[in-house]
Amino acid sequence: MLLREVEYAKPGSVAEALELLAANDGARALAGGQTLINVMKARAASPDMLVDLNGLDDLTGIELAGDGTLTIGAMTTYTELMGSAEAKARPILGEVCATIADVQVRNRGTIGGNVCSNDPTNHLPPLMVSVGARMTIAGADGEREVSAEEFFLGVYLTAVGPGELLTRISIPAGKKDGFAAVTLGADGTCIANAAATVNGSVRVALGCVDAVPVIVTAESADGVADAVRAANLEPPSDVHASSEYRTHLAEVLATRAAQEASAR
Amino acid sequence: MDVTVTVNGTTYERDVEPRKLLIHFLRDDLDLTGSHVGCDTGNCGACSVIVDGVLVKSCMLLAVQANGASIETVEGLAEGDELTPLQLAFNEHHALQCGYCTPGMLMSATALLRENPSPSEDEIAKALQGNICRCTGYWNIVEAVKSVAK
């Protein structure tokens, strides 16, 4: 398919990428392109300029600090996360990435692209919330850091403003995590999903039920279903699931994710 | 924009519009029509090629993004008339009917076998997840890949 005419820029640094994004209203950052190129085909997005982030060393790499904190460059692909010895420090990351789409998509798709597109059916927004990730956003005035809860603002909307870029994500040490999803086909788009982390109590982030991940907490996995019910979810209905069914799935998946997290 | 790529060992230089997808560049500009457009939405995998050693769907990459890259397509597998063991196995195991998905299947299986020469059946199925076939029911494709696994 022929895309609408678009300019293409390949900056040599993050600073140059920020300048290009700030100077062109119609510019959009191009990460792995596994969503953006397709929505451009459908004309659901029609940027005037693509600022290609591939090849920017400052946006790649996975580092493990002495205290167990992982710092992951925004342009890290799912495949890189799955194969990274450092990322094994928080095993859920590679495990969830291995269930996103297929080999080809995992080879190009990036952690930064997944969270910045903030499609409510994406895997990583709830996971980032449950593990307590912090996002570093760069702009003309330097860098700022926001928590995952502050990062996701609405459907396709994040704290990354015009002229800004997500540069890296830091994730604290931890192992007691779980993730559960009901998908369209194996490893397909999520109809509903849930990410859970046990840190004393259980914290679950529910995906696909609202514009941004919904957080519920409980003393233990046994209390998670009640906590989900108490959240009075009103998820959207679509061709794959009614609102009522999605609410049911949220309860079931939250419990499964919490049980997995508790068992580790 | 000027784009230089090496495809199956041959270097090509072309002036390309940034909006052109890599699959169309390969098929229309370089006349390498082995890679197919099946769905145009990134689902079917018929356009799969290997770019700098990485298996990708060439309908989700711009041609300009491949500037400087070394690309492998299905045309590069055989040496002249001599098919690879994987290609022969597809023939032997009746791993294709209409053949439309075959170029992508071959590239995905080639990428798998390079990384993991002894894949299990599950690993083969997982590696071919991004390639859709509407004829074979997949079974014979898995059998073909299994037959050349070490």
Side-chain angles (χ1 to χ4, degrees):
Chain A
M1 188 175 299
L2 196 57
L3 305 179
R4 190 175 75 88
E5 277 184 46
V6 64
E7 269 185 82
Y8 173 81
K10 194 164 170 56
S13 66
V14 170
E16 198 188 324
L18 291 170
E19 276 169 33
L20 284 162
L21 289 168
N24 300 279
D25 277 346
R28 275 193 72 167
L30 174 62
Q34 304 301 285
T35 300
L36 182 54
I37 300 284
N38 282 327
V39 297
M40 286 174 69
K41 290 176 192 170
R43 303 296 192 270
S46 280
D48 299 320
M49 176 192 270
L50 290 172
V51 178
D52 191 354
L53 305 180
N54 287 275
L56 294 180
D57 289 343
D58 286 349
L59 299 180
T60 60
I62 303 171
E63 283 168 30
L64 179 60
D67 66 354
T69 302
L70 275 169
T71 304
I72 303 168
M75 284 295 288
T76 302
T77 64
Y78 307 128
T79 299
E80 284 164 352
L81 258 175
M82 288 159 59
S84 157
E86 288 79 14
K88 298 269 186 297
R90 193 103 200 202
I92 195 76
L93 298 172
E95 291 165 11
V96 171
C97 286
T99 67
I100 297 175
D102 53 52
V103 176
Q104 293 94 319
V105 169
R106 290 193 291 270
N107 282 346
R108 293 284 308 171
T110 65
I111 183 171
N114 192 298
V115 297
C116 286
S117 62
N118 195 24
D119 184 315
T121 66
N122 278 358
H123 294 64
L124 299 186
L127 184 63
M128 292 299 108
V129 169
S130 85
V131 299
R134 297 191 64 80
M135 323 319 226
T136 301
I137 299 168
D141 302 329
E143 288 186 339
R144 64 197 169 96
E145 200 186 57
V146 301
S147 69
E149 289 106 302
E150 298 162 320
F151 183 82
F152 300 107
L153 298 180
V155 177
Y156 310 137
L157 197 66
T158 70
V160 180
E164 291 188 320
L165 275 179
L166 173 72
T167 55
R168 59 187 180 273
I169 297 173
S170 70
I171 294 171
K175 285 207 192 304
K176 291 179 82 68
D177 303 306
F179 189 88
V182 168
T183 57
L184 298 170
D187 302 347
T189 304
C190 297
I191 297 172
N193 62 27
T197 295
V198 173
N199 190 355
S201 58
V202 188
R203 186 176 138 90
V204 183
L206 303 164
C208 313
V209 292
D210 207 336
V212 297
V214 174
I215 302 167
V216 298
T217 54
E219 286 300 308
S220 73
D222 295 339
V224 165
D226 283 341
V228 173
R229 271 193 293 273
N232 292 318
L233 299 173
E234 288 182 25
S237 293
D238 62 22
V239 66
H240 303 299
S242 64
S243 178
E244 192 184 4
Y245 179 52
R246 224 176 227 113
T247 305
H248 167 72
L249 287 181
E251 231 179 272
V252 172
L253 295 171
T255 301
R256 281 184 199 164
Q259 284 169 344
E260 183 191 356
S262 305
R264 289 195 167 188
Chain B
M1 292 181 80
D2 286 332
V3 167
T4 304
V5 292
T6 302
V7 186
N8 304 324
T10 304
T11 301
Y12 301 86
E13 265 186 75
R14 294 288 188 279
D15 182 28
V16 185
E17 273 192 283
R19 62 170 160 171
K20 184 169 277 187
L21 302 172
L22 179 59
I23 181 63
H24 298 308
F25 175 69
L26 292 170
R27 289 178 57 84
D28 302 343
D29 294 26
L30 305 186
D31 208 21
L32 293 167
T33 53
S35 309
H36 291 164
V37 181
C39 69
D40 225 352
T41 56
N43 289 291
C44 81
C47 67
S48 296
V49 300
I50 297 175
V51 177
D52 285 337
V54 178
L55 183 73
V56 303
K57 291 178 181 170
S58 60
C59 78
M60 291 197 284
L61 196 69
L62 303 173
V64 291
Q65 291 187 278
N67 187 30
S70 177
I71 300 171
E72 297 165 77
T73 69
V74 69
E75 288 96 339
L77 293 181
E79 298 243 6
D81 289 338
E82 201 171 318
L83 298 178
T84 62
L86 179 69
Q87 287 173 308
L88 290 168
F90 266 58
N91 182 351
E92 211 159 289
H93 290 266
H94 196 64
L96 57 148
Q97 287 179 29
C98 86
Y100 202 87
C101 72
T102 309
M105 287 288 179
L106 287 168
M107 297 318 287
S108 292
T110 298
L112 165 70
L113 292 168
R114 270 183 204 166
E115 202 176 298
N116 177 4
S118 322
S120 67
E121 204 170 290
D122 282 352
E123 287 170 332
I124 294 169
K126 185 102 176 155
L128 299 179
Q129 219 172 12
N131 295 77
I132 293 174
C133 173
R134 290 286 79 137
C135 306
T136 64
Y138 302 99
W139 184 247
N140 289 350
I141 296 172
V142 173
E143 287 292 302
V145 178
K146 230 166 43 176
S147 75
V148 291
K150 297 265 188 300

